[in-house]
Amino acid sequence: MAINPPGKQRDHELQVFFQDVITGLSRKQKTLPCKYLYDERGSQLFEQICELQDYYVTRTEADIFAHDLLEMAGAIGADALLIEPGAGNCEKAEPLLAALESPAGYLPMDISPEILLAAKHRIQARLPDLPVHAAVGDFTTDTAWELLPSVNARRRVIFFPGSTIGNFDPDQASALLAGFVSRLSPGDGLLIGTDLDKDPVVLERAYNDSDQVTARFNKNLLHRINTELGADFNPALFAHRSFYHPLRRRVEMHLVSLTEQMVHIDGECFHFQEGETIHTENSHKYTLEGFRQLLQQAGFTPIRHWADTSNHYAIHFAEVH
């Protein structure tokens, strides 16, 4: 199976990207979908963020995996097919795959073909008997799922770590989980990570690092729009801003216009007031009970969870009713 998307698919993706950008920047509160933060450069910057001392999420999740990996593998069971939407570099799946008993295969999905290809080769070198079929695409669309091959397995388990579910607002998260259910069968599983609600000081520090890596990650979206859509954003005229919204239980990430300015994209013109923002990402935080309810509403039965001693982060295992 070819990992690079065909030309027509790429043209379609660019057209969708263009329409999403035009639609988002035309709103009263300008927005851009956070999925576009993760091109090749964005994915590399996010990997750097994950190494930062203040960004507790990746480190805490890794500690939970290290401590409880065998229990998770036992919950998944033998002869399971692991499907990972938004897999990135696949580094979180690799030790889990090694711990599983006779896994039937691994199906990673991501929008970055370069990172996905490198991960596929790395995993196949470590686990040569494991079938790996990578699919390039946006997992929130049907098209990406249609690229996945049919693999015989005792059960299928969707692996969704890294608190990516927090990037979706509650209605979107509910729809995403219900969509997962629709692609599974009764008895199939979900292993998913969630960032838990906590001290706002801890949260805001995680998204405003002193090395400005998160700022570069956020502003890289403007570089991407310039490169792929021919826009004339000046990223130096925008600043990164991130803050915790207590009523909505989420961290919001914005790009703030430092001056009144005009930006052009393929004949479209967008006016920015000084101080006006583009809302680029949300990161919703959950309580344990609140997320269990969300799983049940979507069609999953929560089986168990694993968390750190501070209850900063949790990994949940659930099965389709």
Side-chain angles (χ1 to χ4, degrees):
M1 172 179 193
I3 193 168
N4 289 314
K8 288 184 179 179
Q9 180 181 332
R10 179 56 180 162
D11 291 343
H12 174 71
E13 289 171 353
L14 282 175
Q15 183 61 33
V16 172
F17 183 24
F18 174 78
Q19 291 298 333
D20 286 347
V21 169
I22 297 301
T23 300
L25 295 182
S26 299
R27 294 181 175 135
K28 183 176 181 180
Q29 167 59 72
K30 293 179 172 64
T31 63
L32 290 170
C34 67
K35 65 184 179 182
Y36 294 121
L37 290 163
Y38 297 91
D39 64 347
E40 182 179 8
R41 177 58 178 158
S43 297
Q44 292 170 347
L45 286 167
F46 185 69
E47 288 182 29
Q48 294 179 32
I49 291 171
C50 292
E51 300 297 323
L52 297 172
Q53 182 62 33
D54 285 337
Y55 192 77
Y56 62 88
V57 177
T58 304
R59 183 175 60 256
T60 305
E61 183 186 53
D63 289 344
I64 297 170
F65 273 120
H67 187 267
D68 299 307
L69 186 64
L70 293 180
E71 288 189 5
M72 295 178 196
I76 291 172
D79 191 30
L81 173 66
L82 197 70
I83 305 170
E84 185 175 7
N89 61 19
C90 306
E91 287 186 350
K92 295 175 183 178
E94 190 171 343
L96 178 61
L97 290 165
L100 290 175
E101 180 183 351
S102 304
Y106 175 49
L107 305 182
M109 308 162 61
D110 199 80
I111 61 174
S112 175
E114 297 84 1
I115 289 177
L116 202 55
L117 182 62
K120 178 182 178 181
H121 289 163
R122 187 189 70 245
I123 292 172
Q124 288 184 318
R126 179 180 178 184
L127 303 169
D129 295 330
L130 177 72
V132 179
H133 303 279
V136 175
D138 175 5
F139 68 84
T140 64
T141 68
D142 290 336
T143 303
W145 290 87
E146 291 166 358
L147 294 174
L148 297 178
S150 176
V151 177
N152 290 327
R154 182 184 61 84
R155 79 186 318 186
R156 291 174 295 165
V157 175
I158 292 178
F159 182 49
F160 204 56
S163 72
T164 304
I165 190 70
N167 294 145
F168 298 84
D169 68 32
D171 288 342
Q172 292 171 334
S174 181
L176 180 68
L177 292 173
F180 286 167
V181 169
S182 72
R183 303 180 192 282
L184 299 172
S185 300
D188 286 344
L190 172 69
L191 189 65
I192 184 170
T194 59
D195 197 12
L196 301 179
D197 204 13
K198 61 185 69 66
D199 186 344
V201 173
V202 175
L203 290 170
E204 293 200 357
R205 188 181 297 145
Y207 292 84
N208 292 283
D209 64 279
S210 57
D211 293 333
Q212 301 294 304
V213 182
T214 310
R216 293 198 297 275
F217 169 69
N218 199 9
K219 293 170 71 171
N220 178 67
L221 181 50
L222 303 182
H223 289 288
R224 180 181 183 184
I225 294 171
N226 285 348
T227 300
E228 298 186 26
L229 301 181
D232 60 359
F233 276 104
N234 182 349
L237 297 182
F238 288 84
H240 165 74
R241 182 186 177 208
S242 188
F243 59 91
Y244 179 65
H245 195 305
L247 294 179
R248 295 177 178 171
R249 281 185 173 163
R250 73 187 189 193
V251 174
E252 294 187 9
M253 197 160 73
H254 293 251
L255 289 165
V256 184
S257 179
L258 298 177
T259 184
E260 185 175 1
Q261 58 182 303
M262 303 293 288
V263 174
H264 306 86
I265 308 175
D266 192 32
E268 301 283 346
C269 185
F270 299 95
H271 177 259
F272 288 83
Q273 297 283 0
E274 180 179 353
E276 188 176 0
T277 75
I278 307 172
H279 189 174
T280 55
E281 187 175 51
N282 291 319
S283 184
H284 291 83
K285 311 304 173 185
Y286 288 95
T287 64
L288 290 172
E289 180 56 32
F291 194 70
R292 279 193 289 264
Q293 292 177 5
L294 194 66
L295 287 169
Q296 291 171 330
Q297 291 166 3
F300 286 104
T301 298
I303 303 300
R304 65 168 302 178
H305 76 273
W306 299 267
D308 61 293
T309 56
S310 299
N311 270 344
H312 278 181
Y313 189 90
I315 299 169
H316 311 254
F317 183 69
E319 295 178 347
V320 177
H321 297 333

